[in-house]
Amino acid sequence: MPQPRTGAPTISDVAREAGVGRATAARTLGGYGYVSPAMQDKVLAAAERLGYRANALARSMSTGVTHTIGVIIADIGNPFFAGVMRGISDTARARGVDTLVISSHEHLEEEVSAMNTLINKRVDGIILSTSARTAAGAGHISAAAAQGIPVVLVDRAIPELGLDEVVIDNRAAARLAVSELISAGHQRIGFVWGPPSAHRPAVRRELVDASANNLFTEGERLEGYLDALDDAGLPCDLDLVMVGEKTAEHAKAEVTRMLELEQPPTALFCTESDAIVGALRAIRQARLRMPEDISLIGFDDNPWAEVMDPPLSMIAQPMHELGARAADKLFERIDSPAHAAERITLDTGLIRRDSVRALGHQTR
């Protein structure tokens, strides 16, 4: 009398039930190698009768494919990155691929650890919004690519790595925003979220050099700010550029400092969500009205910007599309690893609301 089977059915159990060799059952259930259609039908029918479920880890070790991708997001709590992540996961799900997500919290050490974790999980490829600022600080990324692991950079680029990148034109977007303020008559425009220098640059050249220590996105946005000033023939007043720690608290302190200048800014361009939060706190503390006393344009349009009082004019990024295109590019790289690396640059737009007023209409 046969003994009752205990535990989950195995490939050997399925092979015995189907009356085929174990190798034939393994190839059928693992999706690799050739098995005749008739044999496949027998094995699959037996697996269904027994309630067999494939062991994904064992299958991946046999085929080298896990149908899983890894994503390292700089800050999953940031609404922008949440939107990017939605685009990635929607695209992966449509392909039957699982997604493992790790937040680096903008710390390079955590990013390196996350990369090692995903490699150990044998993911088929990695999408990364890196905290590294230069190729010299991105050795972990180069090492992964050298191992043949497909890597796609999203939002933040390091061109020297020669990897696929999906980004926006940050410089053009910033230029558009600042030009909008200049067109409204503003000539003293504060830039909120500048380089992380401990000391304020004394001349413009030092500011540009300090910007090299910014993340890719931040450096490009500062360049766009300077472009717009140059277009209008306006000087760059270094007192109107935030420097130092990248936090909402420091942004508030820097905007407060700007507002106390003998010639304070009449408008602010805030390039990150935390920069906007800090600026709004400083404006409220100074008991200024927006836009009557000061105008503002922010970056990364979100639903909360529309319900502010007044609603904020914002640069809108295609967050979902950034994630979706990054995922598409990763799957393309997985399927065709020899293709030349490509940078995909997506368009942005300026959403005009009520936080900007022409100087001729201000009461200040």
Side-chain angles (χ1 to χ4, degrees), residues 50-119:
L50 295 178
Y52 172 83
R53 295 186 63 186
N55 184 318
L57 177 59
R59 182 173 60 207
S60 70
M61 293 179 68
S62 298
T63 65
V65 177
T66 63
H67 298 290
T68 302
I69 61 171
V71 182
I72 303 174
I73 288 295
D75 181 6
I76 197 64
N78 185 315
F80 166 75
F81 287 114
V84 172
M85 190 61 243
R86 180 66 179 269
I88 294 171
S89 60
D90 285 350
T91 304
R93 187 182 306 111
R95 293 179 65 113
V97 173
D98 294 325
T99 306
L100 299 179
V101 185
I102 304 177
S103 178
S104 69
H105 305 102
E106 298 284 13
H107 296 305
L108 190 57
E109 298 81 3
E110 292 189 39
E111 178 179 311
V112 173
S113 176
M115 181 75 81
N116 291 331
T117 296
L118 293 175
I119 291 172

Side-chain angles (χ1 to χ4, degrees), residues 202-242:
V203 296
R204 175 169 167 162
R205 181 71 257 171
E206 290 181 10
L207 176 66
V208 173
D209 290 343
S211 178
N213 294 319
N214 266 324
L215 292 170
F216 169 80
T217 52
E218 296 167 354
E220 290 286 295
R221 292 171 193 178
L222 179 56
E223 291 285 359
Y225 167 79
L226 296 175
D227 288 343
L229 295 180
D230 291 343
D231 292 342
L234 296 175
C236 172
D237 185 341
L238 299 179
D239 282 336
L240 296 181
V241 178
M242 170 182 166

Side-chain angles (χ1 to χ4, degrees), residues 49-341:
R49 288 196 299 272
L50 295 178
Y52 172 83
R53 295 186 63 186
N55 184 318
L57 177 59
R59 182 173 60 207
S60 70
M61 293 179 68
S62 298
T63 65
V65 177
T66 63
H67 298 290
T68 302
I69 61 171
V71 182
I72 303 174
I73 288 295
D75 181 6
I76 197 64
N78 185 315
F80 166 75
F81 287 114
V84 172
M85 190 61 243
R86 180 66 179 269
I88 294 171
S89 60
D90 285 350
T91 304
R93 187 182 306 111
R95 293 179 65 113
V97 173
D98 294 325
T99 306
L100 299 179
V101 185
I102 304 177
S103 178
S104 69
H105 305 102
E106 298 284 13
H107 296 305
L108 190 57
E109 298 81 3
E110 292 189 39
E111 178 179 311
V112 173
S113 176
M115 181 75 81
N116 291 331
T117 296
L118 293 175
I119 291 172
N120 290 337
K121 294 288 187 182
R122 297 178 179 270
V123 295
D124 298 331
I126 296 172
I127 297 173
L128 170 66
S129 63
T130 183
S131 299
R133 286 156 170 76
T134 63
H140 58 298
I141 304 175
S142 299
Q147 293 178 49
I149 299 170
V151 178
V152 172
L153 301 180
V154 65
D155 181 54
R156 301 170 180 180
I158 302 180
E160 297 84 354
L161 296 181
L163 298 174
D164 293 309
E165 302 165 343
V166 182
V167 297
I168 65 161
D169 190 335
N170 288 277
R171 187 168 182 167
R175 189 176 194 169
L176 172 64
V178 178
S179 296
E180 177 81 0
L181 293 170
I182 293 172
S183 295
H186 299 277
Q187 296 188 9
R188 293 189 58 76
I189 301 167
F191 183 87
V192 189
W193 216 252
S197 307
H199 304 287
R200 187 170 306 283
V203 296
R204 175 169 167 162
R205 181 71 257 171
E206 290 181 10
L207 176 66
V208 173
D209 290 343
S211 178
N213 294 319
N214 266 324
L215 292 170
F216 169 80
T217 52
E218 296 167 354
E220 290 286 295
R221 292 171 193 178
L222 179 56
E223 291 285 359
Y225 167 79
L226 296 175
D227 288 343
L229 295 180
D230 291 343
D231 292 342
L234 296 175
C236 172
D237 185 341
L238 299 179
D239 282 336
L240 296 181
V241 178
M242 170 182 166
V243 298
E245 186 181 6
K246 301 296 185 73
T247 64
E249 291 74 18
H250 188 64
K252 176 188 174 185
E254 280 285 87
V255 172
T256 297
R257 176 191 59 77
M258 294 180 198
L259 295 175
E260 293 173 350
L261 293 171
E262 184 176 346
Q263 291 184 292
T266 61
L268 300 173
F269 174 46
C270 302
T271 68
E272 295 285 348
S273 295
D274 282 348
I276 298 172
V277 171
L280 292 178
R281 288 173 178 167
I283 290 169
R284 179 180 300 172
Q285 179 177 283
R287 299 185 181 279
L288 298 178
R289 297 167 299 166
M290 187 171 65
E292 291 85 355
D293 299 321
I294 191 163
S295 294
L296 183 148
I297 293 180
F299 219 101
D300 296 343
D301 190 41
N302 280 287
W304 57 262
E306 189 175 3
V307 299
M308 294 290 293
D309 184 19
L312 302 182
S313 294
M314 300 283 279
I315 291 291
Q317 296 197 67
M319 296 176 284
H320 189 278
E321 186 181 2
L322 276 165
R325 294 292 293 276
D328 284 337
K329 176 53 65 175
L330 182 64
F331 293 130
E332 178 183 316
R333 177 63 52 192
I334 291 169
D335 294 338
S336 304
H339 281 185

